[in-house]
Amino acid sequence: MPVQLIGPWQNALEGAAAALCATVAMAAVSALALVLLDAGSVGSLWSLAMVLTAMSVGGSLSASSDVSADTGSMGGLASLFGGGGGMGPSMSGAADVMPLGVTLVGAVIFWIAFSWRLRQGRQRRFTGGELAVRAAGAVTAALVTLMIVAGLAQGSATVPASAMSRMGGTGAGQSAGGFGGGSDRLRELFGGGGGLGDLLGSGGGGGDLGGLMGGGGAGAEPMLTYHVSVGTAGLGAVLWVAVVLGAGCLISRRVRLPLGGALDGLRTAWGPSFSAVVRTTLVLAAVPMVALAIIGAVVGGRAGSAAGSALLLAPNALAVFLTLGVGSSWTAEVHPVQSDGGSNPLASLMGGLGGTGGMGGGRQPDRTEHLRSLSAGGWPLWLAALAVTGLILLACAHRAARATHPGHKLPLLPYRGPLAGHLGMAARFGVVTAIALGVAAWLVGASGRFGVSVFGSEMGGMQAELSGSVLRTVVFGLLVGGLAGFVGSLPTAALRGGRAAR
């Protein structure tokens, strides 16, 4: 049958259109999540949606506030040093977190749009040049578009007094739900006494940030000006397109790709394992996102807030859970930033935020929570994660073994005994599991920082971080994935042997 050939410009434009469709989809999901979270009450939904879209490919957020300009109705240091010129108190912050819910939606839309023409050309294979032109168009469009998005991701947002009050007054005894006592400890870590809330809280104490910044001024709410780094967003956009194209080429079943002899063999041998892991992970992340989004949109209220959080961070939570199940270590930490009294006479005079006496209410200790020590319904969280992760990996391994041709199950080592096929599946599935979980652990790591400065010198602040061991995830993922690949291939071999005997 005759096949309609398309020119290089059309290939490039179709690749660029795929990147544009993905960007629009990410912005739409970000806006929906913000609506469910009622973010319009603190800032512009448009600019906040641009922030989340840029951060979904690796952009880093920075925020600052110079409150010396609004000293007319405020007391405390804001009115005392409100003469301008950087003499008044100011706040600054930064956040580095990737909302993987937005990232994955964009990746799926991008690959569907990018590979549409490839799925239609069943009578022939696209040439390597055509595929390269399409990829170049996608990379260029993603780079330009997401850098523009990062440039638009700027504006100002208010920090509600109610939110600051909750951070300062919510203790462990007021939290509920989640993982029982473990949830209480995490809530206390990030919001309870001695944590970030004591620095930010405006509960009326003379030593909190409300007293420092406003002296109890009526109705005063801090205003933060934020922006996203254009450079990190552009670099992340290029890497994002490259990863999606590489993953799509490996897991696609209906696309005829011009990979060549050696690459075709690599795709045939490794593709089923990679496809099983990636597709299963996407399904596990998509189900709670879609279900909670529908429920939250209908019910509203707290359910809507939970749905908005799930749209953004459900894949992040899934990645932490799965990596915890293979033995990785995850730690949530809050560190107070102590002032340097020697370089700041005012900080030395007042004891500094978190210093002794007065303002900080005593030196604030570092607070650390190991997620392995949390409990879910009385059971250790890591044990539940191990059971669920083991079942998921076994199902993925069995699916990969069924889809892999027996000729491509030979082990990487020169062994051709009776267990050769099982060892080959164990090696390939273990490597794929280690890479997938290692990348997930690297992407999920998050950090944030908040500080208060006077006279241009930081008097105090707080730094929060969620971190996991990528190296440990890779090592244990290799071992657990290899074991799952070996066990998962056993039923497949038995079924094939029974069919051959019949």
Side-chain angles (χ1 to χ4, degrees), residues 5-27:
L5 300 177
I6 59 177
W9 283 109
Q10 187 174 352
N11 266 309
L13 289 176
E14 288 183 357
L20 293 176
C21 290
T23 304
V24 172
M26 290 190 291

Side-chain angles (χ1 to χ4, degrees), residues 295-340:
I295 296 174
V298 173
V299 178
R302 292 186 176 181
S305 299
S309 301
L311 276 177
L312 300 177
L313 300 175
N316 298 60
L318 177 64
V320 172
F321 188 77
L322 294 180
T323 53
L324 194 64
V326 299
S328 181
S329 59
W330 283 92
T331 305
E333 301 174 290
V334 170
H335 304 288
V337 178
Q338 304 295 336
S339 61
D340 185 2

Side-chain angles (χ1 to χ4, degrees), residues 8-23 110 113-114 133-143 145 241:
W9 283 109
Q10 187 174 352
N11 266 309
L13 289 176
E14 288 183 357
L20 293 176
C21 290
T23 304
F110 170 70
F114 182 88
V133 168
R134 293 178 74 85
V139 169
T140 303
L143 175 64
T145 304
V241 171

Side-chain angles (χ1 to χ4, degrees), residues 62-345:
S62 300
S64 62
S65 173
D66 186 356
V67 300
S68 60
D70 300 324
T71 59
S73 61
M74 300 176 66
L77 291 180
S79 60
L80 181 62
F81 302 107
M87 300 292 289
S90 62
M91 296 182 292
S92 62
D96 189 4
V97 58
M98 184 176 293
L100 290 181
V102 181
T103 307
L104 293 182
V105 169
V108 172
I109 297 299
F110 170 70
W111 177 250
I112 291 174
F114 182 88
S115 62
W116 175 80
R117 177 77 66 175
L118 304 179
R119 293 195 302 271
Q120 302 302 314
R122 289 190 174 253
Q123 294 83 11
R124 71 178 183 95
R125 286 177 179 265
F126 270 59
T127 65
E130 289 175 312
L131 185 61
V133 168
R134 293 178 74 85
V139 169
T140 303
L143 175 64
V144 174
T145 304
L146 287 168
M147 288 182 69
I148 293 175
V149 167
L152 296 174
Q154 56 182 334
S156 58
T158 59
V159 182
S162 59
M164 299 179 70
S165 177
R166 284 196 300 269
M167 284 189 288
T170 302
Q174 295 173 292
S175 61
F179 291 118
S183 177
D184 294 341
R185 294 203 299 275
L186 279 181
R187 290 169 187 256
E188 181 183 0
L189 175 67
F190 286 104
L196 182 59
D198 286 343
L199 178 66
L200 297 178
S202 55
D208 58 17
L209 183 60
L212 169 68
M213 305 297 287
E221 292 183 342
M223 180 75 71
L224 292 175
T225 301
Y226 55 84
H227 67 277
V228 176
S229 172
V230 176
T232 56
L235 177 60
V238 174
L239 295 176
W240 173 72
V241 171
V243 170
V244 174
L245 289 180
C249 290
L250 279 176
I251 70 175
S252 178
R253 298 173 181 175
R254 300 175 55 191
V255 175
R256 298 173 62 84
L257 298 171
L259 299 178
L263 293 178
D264 275 334
L266 182 67
R267 178 172 179 255
T268 304
W270 294 81
S273 297
F274 193 77
S275 175
V277 172
V278 172
R279 291 175 185 271
T280 302
T281 304
L282 288 176
V283 171
L284 292 175
V287 168
M289 287 174 58
V290 175
L292 289 176
I294 295 175
I295 296 174
V298 173
V299 178
R302 292 186 176 181
S305 299
S309 301
L311 276 177
L312 300 177
L313 300 175
N316 298 60
L318 177 64
V320 172
F321 188 77
L322 294 180
T323 53
L324 194 64
V326 299
S328 181
S329 59
W330 283 92
T331 305
E333 301 174 290
V334 170
H335 304 288
V337 178
Q338 304 295 336
S339 61
D340 185 2
S343 62
N344 191 334

Side-chain angles (χ1 to χ4, degrees), residues 28 113 125 148 170-171 196 213 228 246 269 293 327 356 365 379 402 404 425 465 467:
R125 286 177 179 265
I148 293 175
T170 302
L196 182 59
M213 305 297 287
V228 176
T356 57
W379 291 87
R402 292 181 58 187
T404 304
M425 278 302 305
E465 183 178 8
S467 60

